[in-house]
Amino acid sequence: MISFLLALFLIAESPPSHIVGAAPVYPGGSGQYSLTGAGVTIGMWDLGVPLYTHSDFIGRTLFQRAGETNHHATAVAGVLNGVSVGLAPGAGVRPYLFTENSGADLDSIRLAASNGMRLSVHPYQYKAGWEFKSGGWASIGSCTAQAQWLWRGSDNLSETEDFQFGFYTQMARSWDAMLNDFPRLLPVVAAGNHRGAGPATQPIRHCYYSFSENTYKESATIVRDLNAGMTEFAVAKNVLTVGTWPNEATTSRGPTDDGRIKPDIVAPESVQDAPSSASDISYGMFSKTSAASSVAAGALALLHEHLVDVMGKEPLASTLKAMAIHTAEDKGDAGPDFIYGWGLMNLGKAVRTASLATVREDTLGDGQTHTFDIEHSGFGEVVVTLVWTDPEGEVLPAALNPTAPALVNDLDIRLLGVGGPYLPLTVGGGTSDNSIDNVEQIRVAGLAAGTYAISISHKGVLADAQAYSLIASSGDPQRRVFTLSQPGWRMVSIPFLNTPFSRISQSFTTQFGGGQGDPTMYRFSPSQTYVPVTDADTLTQPGRGYLLYVFDEDAPKEWIMNGEAVSSPVQHDLPWNGAATNSFLLAGNPFHGVLDWDSVVAASTGIASTYYVWDPSVTSGGGYSGFKHYTAGNPGTGAAGRYIPAFSGFFVFAAEPDAVIELDASALVEGAEPVFYGKEPIRYPHIRLSDGTDQVLVSIHPDAKTGWDRYDVPQLSRLDGRVSLSLLDEDGHPFRVMAIPSVSEPLRIRLSATAEILHSDVDAELNGTELVISSMRSTLPESVALLRAWPNPFNPRTTIRFIAEAHDIAHLRLVVIDMLGREVAVLVDGPKEPGEHSVSFDASKLASGVYLVRLMTDGVQVSLKLTLLK
């Protein structure tokens, strides 16, 4: 028998993608990852099938299966990849029919896993405890038609508790066995809504099953417990069990009988505007653990896509589970607990950590110990998480709350170093050895900077070698990338805690004096003078700006920096020298997002409402001619714009004594388009290639070398960090993107896949997987370029920016085409004066999906992908 986790119509305060931190990882998000769930298919087991004709699934990959249309299944699919609230718009969803036959369900999961499924969601649970039977029981045993409540517990074991809650059953064992056979499949399982389920008052006439007499009997005197836990496959060791945040009153709680931490994590308990099967355009509220598990599964599709990118292979299910647990935001009591598990899922942090932390998949043999080092900067926590897919455990005879562990292989982690060894966390925030769970986590704050060792060992005997996944991170590592396209002096900010200036020299020719040339990095002192940075080990200060010189040979080049993110508010006192014009500070955006200057002014004390930023493209006029400004207000004014991007330094003036500028993460905004002075798109001649799934840029850089190898060719890694089409060096090693020299004779470069040329400023052609560059055909000032579309994805309007350089364009066409090659909109068709232009595109009459905007003139054709999400 089953209990379906039906949705309630509640009020959601925020979109689920924001609650789990997904917003920065989407295309156009501040995290620069461009994740959609592409390449991931999520299996969805439900009592029915979605309403396939619902408008929410237009342009989405939703596989069809025969079955009865179901409201619950429609909502689950919508949360996974629907237009309105779908977490993974690029993922596929494949529905399966859940039955009451657990063996048949396992068979269907096994078949799907053998066909490549790596992620599934199971938003239902089997019945336990109380069950209401509408229509009554007609003479079953001694039960009468008037008795409508059924108690599923065993009176032989307990008259008040149902032993099935927290009990490691045969079903849980079967799921663990299945997942050992398919170690790359991670089922996301609803914790269930059993808590408080039962009659409003007791005692009440009801039926129960007498295991000793093998019959149903009737009782009106026994008061049963309503505080139920999890049951059946939600208790399995190798699934990811998901509860609700905030904790919904009916959400089942842990622990398991043997003390394992369940649920594993929590996710938003309600989703507003999920599609409904009432009609093709109906929506409603979806809630409880059905909603939470669906949100988690959609978010994990994005994480799976990213792990494939950074690892170069499909991750183990234990890696996906470990990353979700490693980066979860602690809720409730300190450390893991039996209500919120390891915490609220934080997808943004999981994606950052996957890019920058240690992600290790290995196999431990019997008697072995694995040890490796981790470097700690001295700031933030050191976190180490170990997860393994444990073999199926032993099913004990039915009993009330047996404590014998279901764990088979008992692996252990230790963090070794000064003050150690450090042990795994326990419920309540303490630490001790763990002998019951296949999840172990060490989390230590306040450690001194230095090298620490992580050891993985085991107790007892391992019958077979045990595969495991380990995540190790120091602090909250983040990655930020910008292309600095113009040489000259630049006002920059470094949004990391205690980052040495030496890291800048990894990307640029940065000089610190001492016989190595004049310093190229300056800070600004309270005495209103520029002071050179002469020590490469000097640490940057969050919220401060710096003056950096970019040499010609370093432009264009991408500035890639990793470090510990700033999360706390940053304050700086402004100097006062008797007048505002003599009292200013070179400040900087300390965060990994776009800063709203109006909010900064409102939160600060005694500062002028105008900030100034340097535009390096202004090379004449002297004095302040190169500065752009913005003044806060409603509306604000100034060319610099209201929003300050990360990595940007700016001047701010004191308006009175004791002025303080306050920079807080609450002033960050998603979706804003700031002005990037000196951080423009690459403007050297280039070739833009596509292999049909993504695009890369080959920049024609005059200082590149024809005898390049994988070390001396300037790398221009893509902003989103993903790898698709690559160029191959002379040894066959791939580069994501590289600069090449202008050539006087044909240069032949191998590609990692067949491709097409979307745009080229030079004479180039493709011969299979060989790119042949013959000669420079035209100089950049005679070219056109598509800069970007914002927003993208969009609904239903976006603005497209393009450049027509240096001379009048006799005829220019800017069109939008669908994936079948049909023109669906003509935005420009005629002559255009030189300069930068923008045009608005209204797609309100078009269906959701992927489109191309194509710019054509004088034999040059440039394309850009647009994603319409309705």
Side-chain angles (χ1 to χ4, degrees), residues 694-853:
D694 223 324
Q695 298 182 25
V696 299
L697 184 73
V698 181
S699 177
I700 312 301
H701 193 302
D703 293 327
K705 303 174 184 178
T706 54
W708 38 261
D709 59 31
R710 62 186 292 104
Y711 301 103
D712 62 20
V713 175
Q715 286 198 47
L716 296 170
S717 303
R718 291 189 33 200
L719 291 181
D720 58 18
R722 298 173 60 195
V723 180
S724 180
L725 178 67
S726 301
L727 308 184
L728 303 179
D729 67 14
E730 294 172 331
D731 298 321
H733 297 119
F735 284 94
R736 297 177 183 177
V737 186
M738 65 171 65
I740 61 175
S742 57
V743 294
S744 57
E745 58 184 41
L747 177 65
R748 301 177 183 274
I749 302 174
R750 288 174 294 163
L751 308 178
S752 62
T754 57
E756 64 173 328
I757 297 177
L758 298 180
H759 168 74
S760 178
D761 287 318
V762 299
D763 281 329
E765 62 180 357
L766 284 169
N767 182 11
T769 58
E770 187 176 62
L771 174 65
V772 182
I773 303 172
S774 299
S775 64
M776 299 290 289
R777 182 184 67 230
S778 61
T779 59
L780 183 64
E782 297 178 329
S783 68
V784 295
L786 268 175
L787 298 182
R788 67 180 308 184
W790 185 269
N792 188 23
F794 68 101
N795 178 26
R797 296 177 182 84
T798 187
T799 298
I800 300 162
R801 295 170 56 212
F802 64 94
I803 286 180
E805 288 282 5
H807 70 289
D808 289 344
I809 301 296
H811 192 90
L812 182 146
R813 275 177 60 82
L814 183 68
V815 300
V816 179
I817 64 175
D818 63 18
M819 297 312 290
L820 297 178
R822 301 173 298 193
E823 285 190 5
V824 297
V826 178
L827 306 179
V828 178
D829 190 5
K832 221 43 171 171
E833 295 181 354
E836 183 174 322
H837 305 272
S838 63
V839 61
S840 178
F841 172 44
D842 186 342
S844 56
K845 295 182 179 180
L846 298 178
S848 296
V850 176
Y851 296 85
L852 288 179
V853 57

Side-chain angles (χ1 to χ4, degrees), residues 76-425:
V76 172
V79 173
L80 295 178
N81 79 342
V83 173
S84 58
V85 292
L87 271 291
V93 175
R94 187 179 294 276
Y96 293 85
L97 292 178
F98 167 70
T99 70
E100 295 188 26
N101 185 331
S102 61
D105 289 338
L106 276 175
D107 288 343
S108 66
I109 298 171
R110 283 179 174 273
L111 179 61
S114 65
N115 290 328
M117 185 181 70
R118 298 295 180 255
L119 189 64
S120 62
V121 61
H122 306 268
Y124 58 85
Q125 270 300 336
Y126 285 76
K127 273 294 187 182
W130 284 104
E131 180 185 2
F132 185 76
K133 300 290 290 186
S134 60
W137 289 69
S139 300
I140 300 179
S142 60
C143 288
T144 67
Q146 287 75 34
Q148 294 184 312
W149 281 101
L150 171 66
W151 173 252
R152 292 191 167 274
S154 170
D155 279 17
N156 297 339
L157 300 176
S158 172
E159 289 189 342
T160 58
E161 296 183 41
D162 187 342
F163 80 96
Q164 296 175 92
F165 290 119
F167 187 78
Y168 190 74
T169 63
Q170 181 59 49
M171 187 186 298
R173 184 182 192 275
S174 297
W175 276 65
D176 281 338
M178 180 265 296
L179 295 174
N180 259 277
D181 293 338
F182 299 98
R184 298 191 188 278
L185 168 64
L186 180 62
V188 182
V189 173
N193 305 318
H194 294 299
R195 187 173 177 81
T201 60
Q202 296 190 64
I204 190 172
R205 184 173 297 279
H206 63 276
C207 293
Y208 69 97
Y209 185 76
S210 173
F211 287 80
S212 61
E213 300 178 42
N214 194 29
T215 185
Y216 286 97
K217 304 182 70 173
E218 191 173 335
S219 170
T221 59
I222 301 173
V223 176
R224 315 287 190 176
D225 189 3
L226 302 182
N227 295 320
M230 282 161 276
T231 187
E232 299 293 7
F233 59 87
V235 181
K237 295 176 289 185
N238 299 324
V239 303
L240 184 78
T241 305
V242 182
T244 59
W245 169 258
N247 188 237
E248 210 276 334
T250 66
T251 300
S252 298
R253 298 179 177 180
T256 62
D257 287 348
D258 58 354
R260 284 179 289 116
I261 295 168
K262 290 288 181 177
D264 294 292
I265 60 171
V266 293
E269 59 89 18
S270 61
V271 178
Q272 193 174 13
D273 294 329
S276 164
S277 61
S279 73
D280 288 348
I281 56 173
S282 62
Y283 293 86
M285 194 67 67
F286 185 48
S287 73
K288 297 194 176 184
T289 55
S290 290
S293 56
S294 301
V295 170
L300 286 168
L302 303 175
L303 180 57
H304 190 283
E305 176 192 8
H306 186 60
L307 284 169
V308 170
D309 280 343
V310 298
M311 297 174 64
K313 63 178 182 179
E314 288 191 323
L316 292 172
S318 53
T319 301
L320 199 58
K321 181 177 178 178
M323 192 64 73
I325 290 173
H326 184 89
T327 56
E329 181 182 348
D330 192 21
K331 296 295 183 182
D333 297 335
D337 58 51
F338 300 130
I339 299 176
Y340 306 109
W342 292 94
L344 175 63
M345 187 173 191
N346 187 331
L347 178 66
K349 186 174 181 180
V351 169
R352 295 194 305 269
T353 301
S355 298
L356 301 171
T358 298
V359 181
R360 184 184 183 99
E361 293 182 348
D362 210 335
T363 301
L364 190 71
D366 186 51
Q368 289 184 338
T369 297
H370 292 175
T371 304
F372 64 96
D373 293 339
I374 180 174
E375 295 296 327
H376 178 49
S377 64
F379 298 90
E381 295 179 313
V382 173
V383 185
V384 185
T385 304
L386 176 71
V387 177
W388 64 98
T389 298
D390 197 53
E392 62 271 26
E394 179 183 355
V395 177
L396 302 174
L400 186 65
N401 302 325
T403 59
L407 192 67
V408 175
N409 286 338
D410 186 359
L411 272 57
D412 292 307
I413 53 170
R414 298 290 187 269
L415 180 65
L416 309 175
V418 178
Y422 298 95
L423 303 179
L425 286 171

Side-chain angles (χ1 to χ4, degrees), residues 473-668:
S473 63
S474 173
D476 180 7
Q478 300 213 15
R479 174 182 184 268
R480 197 66 179 174
V481 182
F482 278 108
T483 300
L484 300 181
S485 60
Q486 297 170 334
W489 288 105
R490 310 295 298 282
M491 285 169 30
V492 301
S493 171
I494 302 173
F496 295 105
L497 291 169
N498 300 284
T499 300
F501 285 101
S502 58
R503 288 193 184 178
I504 298 173
S505 62
Q506 297 173 0
S507 301
F508 297 95
T509 307
T510 309
Q511 299 171 173
F512 298 99
Q516 302 299 317
D518 293 334
T520 57
M521 175 71 76
Y522 287 80
R523 61 184 177 85
F524 197 75
S525 74
S527 60
Q528 314 293 273
T529 59
Y530 287 104
V531 178
V533 177
T534 58
D535 186 350
D537 293 327
T538 301
L539 300 181
T540 62
Q541 296 183 45
R544 289 294 185 103
Y546 298 91
L547 202 63
L548 168 69
Y549 190 80
V550 179
F551 289 96
D552 288 343
E553 60 266 27
D554 281 334
K557 185 179 286 186
E558 287 186 350
W559 186 0
I560 305 173
M561 292 191 70
N562 305 328
E564 171 75 9
V566 179
S567 58
S568 302
V570 174
Q571 291 184 341
H572 287 295
D573 296 335
L574 272 64
W576 180 251
N577 296 309
T581 54
N582 298 321
S583 308
F584 45 95
L585 176 77
L586 180 54
N589 181 357
F591 301 111
H592 278 267
V594 177
L595 197 61
D596 179 6
W597 177 248
D598 283 17
S599 297
V600 173
V601 171
S604 302
T605 302
I607 69 170
S609 59
T610 301
Y611 80 86
Y612 295 83
V613 65
W614 174 254
D615 181 357
S617 66
V618 178
T619 57
S620 63
Y624 294 100
S625 62
F627 281 96
K628 297 295 193 300
H629 78 280
Y630 169 80
T631 301
N634 189 15
T637 58
R642 174 173 175 173
Y643 303 110
I644 303 174
F647 274 14
S648 286
F650 57 92
F651 275 109
V652 57
F653 286 71
E656 58 189 50
D658 301 321
V660 176
I661 183 171
E662 179 163 329
L663 306 169
D664 195 314
S666 63
L668 297 177

Side-chain angles (χ1 to χ4, degrees), residues 453-471:
I454 299 169
S455 73
I456 305 100
S457 59
H458 70 89
K459 300 184 185 72
V461 176
L462 299 181
D464 295 303
Q466 177 63 61
Y468 66 82
S469 301
L470 186 134
I471 316 295

